[in-house]
Structure formats: C-alpha cells, structure tokens
Amino acid sequence: METFDTIFSRKSVRSYTGKQVSQEELDKVLKAANASPVAMAQYENMHITVIQNEELLQEIEECAANTFQKPGMKPLYNAPTLIVLSSVAPKPPKENALYSNAAIMAHNMALAATDLNLGSCYIWGAFAAVNQNPDLVKKLNLPEGFVPCCGITLGETTEKYEERDIPAERFKTNYIK
C-alpha cells in the first residue's frame, strides 16, 4: 500500500476471525512501534507488552466491564492479541509527552496493521479500568515504575480496507501567517 492509501484506509476494526496473526506480521507491527518518535529520544521511558494469553485478555475485558458497570462488555472485541504501551508513571509536566509517545506508537502499529490487512483498534478506556486494579497491572509484568497508557488490539479480520472519503475540513483549521 502507498502511504496515503494506508492513511486514508485505516479504520478501527472491532471484529476478528479469532485466528492469531503470524509471528512475521507481529514483528512488522512491533517494528513500526519501534520506529516511532519518542520525546527527547528517551526510549527507556516506554515499554511494549504483547498479550496473547486468552485468560489474561478475558480478565482485562472483565475488569473494564465491571469498572464501567457494563456486564458483557467486550472492549477488546475478542481480538487474539493486545499490544499494551506503557510508560514510566507520568508526572506533570512530562505527562503529555509520555501519553503522546504511547499514542504515536499505537498509531504507527495501526498503520502497519492496515498495510498488512490486519484488524486493529485503539484501546484507551480499558486501561483506565486496568490502572485501578493493581493486581491486574502486576500481571502485565511491567518494569518497576511503569503504568499502561493505551494499546491496540490486533488480529485477522474479514473486514476490507478501502480508501475513505475524508472531508478536507473535518477539523476547524485556522492559519496564522
């Protein structure tokens, strides 16, 4: 796929076949994360966790469903892989940079998944729930002092990527010359 085709085709995928991605595909998605810019090149402030353990994925979903009081909620959409992006515990004024680092890493992975015709979806709310559960955070086996910020689901899907019509003025824009 060409760069703009990938950008204009990317979408959140919430339906997965259940089939796991190949190691080669996963490696390419993770390489895209590692190609991400990080504030002040402080790569040591970021951490990636790949979860393919069905029991842990279920526990994360249940935690989010309970936190948001929505029984049966499936915030990971039954994806076979969840990639968690964590940072050192954010403290103002670095908080924005650390969450921005995680977000751009997630975006690079989502674009790579699109290019590979894999499904992916940004995951934010589930981590608000997970962060309220120290026992569950511990199961992520993060380095000391790190907290999960966000992540993406990843898996095979039957959905097709097609270039979307993107309104040129979706966001109000002002120019200062």
Side-chain angles (χ1 to χ4, degrees):
M1 230 183 239
E2 295 293 323
T3 302
F4 284 106
D5 292 341
T6 302
I7 291 169
F8 298 148
S9 299
R10 193 220 54 82
K11 64 180 178 177
S12 295
V13 172
R14 294 178 176 88
S15 64
Y16 297 91
T17 65
K19 185 176 178 192
Q20 191 58 262
V21 298
S22 71
Q23 188 62 48
E24 181 181 351
E25 291 166 326
L26 180 59
D27 289 345
K28 285 181 180 180
V29 170
L30 293 172
K31 187 172 183 177
N34 280 282
S36 302
V38 169
M40 307 209 31
Q42 294 178 337
Y43 303 105
E44 68 277 4
N45 288 340
M46 304 306 298
H47 186 79
I48 301 170
T49 304
V50 178
I51 302 172
Q52 295 179 320
N53 178 287
E54 290 180 34
E55 292 82 24
L56 184 53
L57 292 171
Q58 181 65 34
E59 195 170 344
I60 291 168
E61 284 200 316
E62 289 173 5
C63 175
N66 291 337
T67 299
F68 298 118
Q69 299 177 350
K70 293 184 177 181
M73 176 185 187
K74 296 288 187 186
L76 305 181
Y77 310 106
N78 295 312
T81 298
L82 174 65
I83 302 175
V84 182
L85 302 164
S86 303
S87 73
V88 293
K91 297 175 186 136
K94 288 187 173 185
E95 184 173 87
N96 186 50
L98 293 168
Y99 282 109
S100 294
N101 291 342
I104 196 69
M105 291 169 72
H107 189 64
N108 269 15
M109 289 190 294
L111 290 174
T114 301
D115 193 60
L116 294 168
N117 288 306
L118 297 173
S120 70
C121 187
Y122 298 111
I123 303 298
W124 299 93
F127 292 104
V130 167
N131 279 320
Q132 294 177 36
N133 186 326
D135 292 333
L136 188 50
V137 171
K138 188 175 182 175
K139 289 182 180 183
L140 299 178
N141 199 26
L142 299 175
E144 181 77 27
F146 279 68
V147 296
C149 297
C150 66
I152 68 164
T153 54
L154 189 65
E156 288 199 4
T157 185
T158 58
E159 291 191 34
K160 302 293 179 208
Y161 288 104
E162 296 175 358
E163 190 170 320
R164 299 174 292 140
D165 182 31
I166 310 291
E169 296 181 11
R170 177 181 276 176
F171 302 107
K172 293 190 185 299
T173 306
N174 65 308
Y175 295 88
I176 302 172
K177 295 184 179 191

